[in-house]
Each structure stands twice: as C-alpha cells, then as structure tokens.
Amino acid sequence: MTEQAHKLHRFHGGLHLPRHKEESTRDPVLPMRIPARLIVPLRQHIGESAEACVAPGDRVNKGQLIGRCDTYVGAAVHAPTSGRVVEIADHPVPHPSGLSAPCVVIEPDGRESWGESRLPPIEDYLDADPVSLRNRIREAGIVGLGGAAFPSAVKITPRPGQTLDCLVINGAECEPYITCDDSLMRTHARGVIEGIRILMQALKPRCCLIGIEDHMSGAIAAMRDALGGDEAHGIRIVPIPSLYPAGGERQLIQVLTGREVPSQGLPADIGIVCQNVGTAYAIYRAVAHGEPLISRIITVTGKGVQHPRNLEVLIGTPIADLVAAAEGYTDEVSRLIMGGPMMGFALQSDAIPVVKGTNCILAASHEDVAPPGPVMPCIRCGQCAEVCPAQLLPQQLYWFARAKDFDKAQDYSLFDCIECGCCAYVCPSNIPLVQYYRFAKNEIWAQERERRKADIARERHEFRQARLEQEEREKAERLARKKAALAAKQDDTADDPKKAAIQAALERAKARKAAQEAEQMSAEKADKEPSG
C-alpha cells in the first residue's frame, strides 16, 4: 500500500506559523553531565501526588523508587541517578503560578550505580500478557510526554466491553521552536517503533497510524528505516501537513482518521488511543531494559541562548544547568518559557527543575515576547472563530468570561477549548483571549470545589441530624421497653397463687392487729367511765 493511499482529513481553522526549528536541530542530541544536585518533584503528573518512601540521609541507587503512588490515577517517581538524599522539602516547581511543592533533593555520587533497582526486562514483550505490560508501565512511572503528563498505564487500560480500533502515535511537533520529538525519532527511531509494537500488544488495535509533520524529513526517513518502509506490522507512517495545532490530540485524530472526538468525550469513546512518540520510547526502555522514566530529551532554544540544541536530561536537573549546556545566555534574553511560545508559560527562575512533562525551555528575546500593543474593544471581525481548531465561538466565550457568566460559557463549550492561542494570535484588538478562558475555567473549578465542600458539609449535617434522631428513637424505645417490663412484672405478681396467698395472709394479719387494737382502746375507755 502506498503512502498516497491513506486519505488525510482537515480540521477546522489552524495557523501557519514560523517554525524556528532549524536552530536546535543542527547538532545531534547531547547527553548532559550529571548536575551537582537533582530536585525531583513528587508530583509530575495529572492525578494524586506520590508519597516519599525515602528519608534524608538515605543512599539511593539509580532507578530506585523514591515516591510511591498507590492511587489509580498516579505515577511513581524514581531516583534519576545514584547518590544521597539530602532533604525532602518544598521547592519551586514548573507551574504558571510559581508555586512550591514537595521534592526529593538528591546529591549525586557520580557512580550511576543501579544496584538492584533495575526492573527485570521482559524478554518476549511482543507475546507478553497485556496486563503484565500495563503493570510494568505503571511500575516505571511513565506518563504522557507530549505535555499533559497523564499516567500512561491508565490511558492504555480499556474500559470493560470497550473495543479499540486504532492506535494513533503523535509525532506531529507543531508548535514553533520545539524539536525534542523530531530529535528523538532521528536518534532512537528503532526504540520508538519497538515501543509502538509494545503498545499494540497491550491494546490489540486493528491498526496504528504514526502522524509526523511533512517538514520533519529526517525523522520520517529514520522512522521508515526502522519500520522497514511506510507500513509494517500493522503500523503505518503518515506524513501530515504542517499546520498548527496539528499536534493536538483531537486535531491529529481528525486529520488521520476523519473522526471527531465528541465534546467532553475521550478518544477511547470512538475506539482510538493516542500516545506521544516520547512515551512510546519510554515504554520500550521500561519493558525491554527495565528502566523507569528518569530522563528525557529537552529542547533548549531561542535567541536568549548561545547554542540552541537538544539535550538528554535527567529529571530534576535545574534549568540553569540546561542553559549552561547551551553555552549560556545571550544579551537578548528577556524571559524563560517552559514549552513553546503558543502554549508554554513563563518561569520565575532558572533554579526550577525539569520534570517528566518538560519538552522545551525557550529563552525568548525582547522581540519574541514584546507586548502586542494596547488592548482595544472587540470589533467583532470573526477572525478568532475562523482559526479556532475546536470550532468554538471565541468572541462569545470572551464576553461570557468577562461578565463572569460561567453557566453561559459552559453552554458554549468552554471546556472544549484546548488553549492553543490561535484566537489571541490573530485578534486585531490584542485581546488576551486565552487568559479569559483560563480565568473562567479556574473560577468554575473553584466553584465546583466549593460546591463539593458544601455538599460534604450538608451531608455531614444531615448525617448528624439523622444520628441524633436515631438516638432519640432508641432512647424512647428503651424507656418503653422498661415500662413494659415493669408492667409485666406486676402482672406476674398478681397471677402467681403463692404470692397471692402470702399477700392474703399479710392482709389478714394486718386486719387482726387492727381489731385487737380497737378492742384494747374500747376496754381502756370503759375503765375510765364512772360506775352507777
């Protein structure tokens, strides 16, 4: 079957953006030296945070479990190298708010000793039981490396009665500047393909489609060589047009299959699971080599660094070390951004560590982050709706968010917004539309949390009232039982012949005594009367 035989589809909207990819792909991936200190956050994924299972002063081996997460939606955390735990404390972590979170701080010893921490490799992984593969993926702490960091073991666990038709692999690195997936496919194409085959063994889909943007010619060629052509083992490589945000999960699925994920739904609802190429490679390393997710490729780029390139980095490495590996800052640096210019967020400091979901550190120049100009009133031009890949009405959402009419915003599918930034990019009035949508979402989430708290408080109050009423009923029932028992006792006394005879004897004795006392009183009275 030829490449042209696969029909491509088109999602609504999108933008052709300057790519800025060549700057960081001129050189091969550089493995970074071990930093002087690793700051490993215990929460690097969607879901519950892991709990530290080591203590300050402990010696740890490379790959050793240092954060356990027993909840279903969660991921384990492992030591990126061997060394000593110096503290477990709150440190600033990658987040738009600049918040701090619990981290395990490790001082490497430079020996890279695995000890007995390496998981046993699964030799026959292409014939392995799907449950054992999912368990290994969970043990290895693997999460989605495309940005969302959703625990992979959960994502590839089908619901009861669910049939998966297609596995979609996301190699469409659509956002400007980011090239970590491109470099991964060029460097480790064989491992990526083997990881995809492991995913197919775990999911048993009918087919697998790998979407790679057509300008990534080096990655496409490397993947074809590793696969043995455009199609093999039920896997097909499909070059797709370069259009932002073609790398969005819903948009890529629509381009490759023509199917649309329903509003507020999941790809699994239409028989599809989507995984990133980096996730596939991490799964291969975990299954075939017993390595948990402790490192990844990260793009360090922008006019703010001397030598843009891709680095293979241990999780927990401070961003300052990445910048140093890119030969330091230039005079043009203005802001550090984690992610790309469209969907990334600004960092407060370069002392913040990288996490599993870190794909790019963009050292932007003044020109790159120059204010777009004064915000002006909306002129209702409709350009935002034309480019919205989710087919929303950004103008209406803006008005509802601004007016805090959150019910209406939800009626207009606010939560289908993927925050790609296309609407704000084309807005002639320079309105920060995405910021309004994020504000509305956060307010709705806050209201939901308050509603849940109120529901819990109401349920506790109702439970207390029910408990008090039950106690009153039980008290009344006990009193009634006591009275009934006393009445029954009196009835038993009246009905017992022996007790009745005794009572009658007592009554007769009492009557005789009373008669004797009366006779005595009469005699005494007679003695006192004078004789005639």
Side-chain angles (χ1 to χ4, degrees), residues 124-134 156-158 162-167 196-208 233-234 271-273:
D124 55 345
Y125 53 78
L126 296 181
D127 293 316
D129 176 52
V131 174
S132 67
L133 294 175
R134 288 194 288 268
I156 65 170
T157 301
Q162 185 181 63
T163 301
L164 294 175
D165 177 60
C166 183
L167 171 64
I196 293 169
R197 296 183 71 189
I198 292 169
L199 281 167
M200 293 189 72
Q201 176 65 15
L203 290 165
K204 304 291 187 181
R206 180 181 58 83
C207 67
C208 173
H233 312 295
I272 294 174
V273 168

Side-chain angles (χ1 to χ4, degrees), residues 47-117:
E48 294 296 322
S49 175
E51 296 287 336
C53 54
V54 291
D58 287 356
R59 306 293 303 183
V60 293
N61 289 316
K62 183 174 183 175
Q64 180 177 329
L65 182 71
I66 59 174
R68 179 180 286 105
C69 192
D70 295 327
T71 58
Y72 181 65
V73 182
V77 179
H78 301 80
T81 189
S82 58
R84 183 174 64 90
V85 176
V86 294
E87 69 171 343
I88 299 173
D90 285 356
H91 284 269
V93 296
H95 193 274
S97 67
L99 58 76
S100 295
C103 299
V104 177
V105 182
I106 298 173
E107 191 176 81
D109 58 17
R111 292 198 290 265
E112 289 276 83
S113 172
W114 282 88
E116 298 181 357
S117 298

Side-chain angles (χ1 to χ4, degrees), residues 89-262:
D90 285 356
H91 284 269
V93 296
H95 193 274
S97 67
L99 58 76
S100 295
C103 299
V104 177
V105 182
I106 298 173
E107 191 176 81
D109 58 17
R111 292 198 290 265
E112 289 276 83
S113 172
W114 282 88
E116 298 181 357
S117 298
R118 192 186 293 269
L119 300 167
I122 300 175
E123 303 281 346
D124 55 345
Y125 53 78
L126 296 181
D127 293 316
D129 176 52
V131 174
S132 67
L133 294 175
R134 288 194 288 268
N135 288 339
R136 170 53 56 86
I137 291 166
R138 178 180 292 277
E139 286 178 310
I142 296 174
V143 301
L145 299 186
F150 190 84
S152 299
V154 178
K155 196 170 183 179
I156 65 170
T157 301
R159 290 173 291 191
Q162 185 181 63
T163 301
L164 294 175
D165 177 60
C166 183
L167 171 64
V168 169
I169 299 297
N170 192 343
E173 205 163 35
C174 61
E175 190 162 358
Y177 288 100
I178 307 174
T179 59
C180 57
D181 288 346
D182 186 353
S183 296
L184 172 69
M185 288 186 283
R186 295 187 193 197
T187 309
H188 300 294
R190 179 66 181 170
V192 174
I193 292 295
E194 289 302 298
I196 293 169
R197 296 183 71 189
I198 292 169
L199 281 167
M200 293 189 72
Q201 176 65 15
L203 290 165
K204 304 291 187 181
R206 180 181 58 83
C207 67
C208 173
L209 301 174
I210 307 174
I212 307 175
E213 287 201 337
D214 52 15
H215 70 86
M216 299 163 64
S217 56
I220 293 172
M223 291 289 281
R224 281 174 175 162
D225 288 344
L227 184 61
D230 286 324
E231 185 173 7
H233 312 295
I235 303 169
R236 165 173 284 190
I237 297 170
V238 184
I240 65 171
S242 300
L243 181 69
Y244 178 80
E249 183 176 71
R250 292 168 179 250
Q251 286 67 44
L252 181 61
I253 289 172
Q254 189 170 354
V255 168
L256 292 175
T257 69
R259 306 179 203 174
E260 293 189 40
V261 179

